[in-house]
Amino acid sequence: MSLAGALLSGDVRALARAISLAEDRDPQATELAAELQPHTGKAYLVGLTGAPGTGKSTLADALVKVIRDRGQTVGVIAVDPSSPFTGGAVLGDRIRMSRHTLDRGVFIRSMGARGHLGGLAAATREAIHLLDAYGRDVILVETVGVGQSELEISTICDTVVLTLMPESGDAVQTIKAGILEIADVFVINKVDLGGAEKTRRLIQDAMALGPKQPWRPPIVVASAAKEEGIAKVWEAILSHQAFLKDSGALTSRRQERVKQEVVALVAERAREQARRLLDGDTAVGRRLRENRNGKLNPYALAEELLAERASQGGS
Ligand SMILES: Nc1nc2c(ncn2[C@@H]2O[C@H](COP(=O)(O)OP(=O)(O)OP(=O)(O)O)[C@@H](O)[C@H]2O)c(=O)[nH]1
Ligand SMILES: [Mg+2]
C-alpha cells in the first residue's frame, strides 16, 4: 500500500514516517501532503504558546485528557526550534512518557529543525496536514512564543492559547513584546503558586489599552500540573471556535492561512532554486565563483538571477 493509503487507513507507523519525511524536508512529504489535501480541513487546530517553562506541555497533556473524555481524538505536535540537533528529542521523550502512550486516540510527536534552518515552519505545517488527513479531531501545536518566532502560530492555528505564569514577570514581558495580541485565550497557569489575580489585572489593563475587538479573549486561571481549571480552558477554546464559526472569521482565518502557506511554499522553492542556480553552471554562478576580490554586488546578482530564472521559464 502507498504511504498515503496506509496513513488514511489509520496506520500510525505510516503517519510517523510521513512526519519524519516532513522534518527532513524530503520532497516526498510535500507531495504526500498535496495528495492528502482533499482529506484535510476537518481537524480543529489549537496553538499553545508562551514563554519557556510556563507549562505548555503540561497543559497539552491535561487538555488531551479532557478532549479524550469527550470522545474526540487528538494529535499533539511539540515544536522545539531550539534543538536542531536532537530533533526535540528531550522534549519529545518527556512528553511521550506521559500516560497517553497506550491510547490510540492520542498521537504525540515533537519536531525539531534537524539542521534545516527555516524549514521548521514548513515541516510543522505539513505535519498538521498529515495529522488532519489521518483523521484527528483536534490538533494541539506547542511552540515557544517568546521573541520573534519564525513560526507564526496565529497564522497556523484556529485558536491560540497563551500561557503565562503568575508573578513571574513574564506577563509583563509578554505585554511589552506585543505577544498579547495573538492570544485568543489566556491561561494563567500554576495558580497553585499564588499571585494569579495580579497577573489577571495586568492582562486586563493591557487589553483595555488596545483597540476594541469583536472577540474578548477570556482569561482562565488553571493549574495544569494539578489538573485544575483544564475543563474551563477547553470551554474557552470551544467558545472561541463558536465565535469564529458564527462570525465567519473561521473562513477568513483559513483563507489567510492558505495564502501564507502558498507564500511559504513558493519562497521555500525559490530559495532552493536560487541555490541551485548559484551553485550550477549558470552565468551568475560562474561570476560568483570567478570573483576573487570580493567586490560583487549582491543586489545586481539577485536581479541577474531573477532574469536568468525567467529566461529558463522559471523551472
Ligand atoms: N506548580 C506548578 N508547576 C507546574 C504547573 N504546570 C506545569 N508545572 C511545572 O512547570 C515546569 C515546566 O512545565 P512544562 O509543561 O514543561 O512547560 P513548557 O512551557 O512546556 O516548557 P518548555 O517546553 O520548555 O518551553 C515543569 O516542571 C512542570 O511540572 C502547575 O500548574 N503548577
Ligand atoms: Mg514544553
Side-chain angles (χ1 to χ4, degrees), residues 276-308:
R276 212 169 46 232
L277 287 172
L278 287 176
D279 292 340
D281 189 22
T282 56
V284 207
R286 279 194 298 275
R287 280 208 19 217
L288 189 68
R289 285 189 294 275
E290 282 158 15
N291 177 266
R292 294 278 173 243
N293 59 16
K295 273 196 179 162
L296 278 176
N297 179 347
Y299 301 97
L301 282 179
E303 289 299 331
E304 237 179 275
L305 193 70
L306 287 169
E308 179 137 359

Side-chain angles (χ1 to χ4, degrees), residues 15 51 179 244 278:
L15 173 66
I179 298 170
L244 287 179
L278 287 176

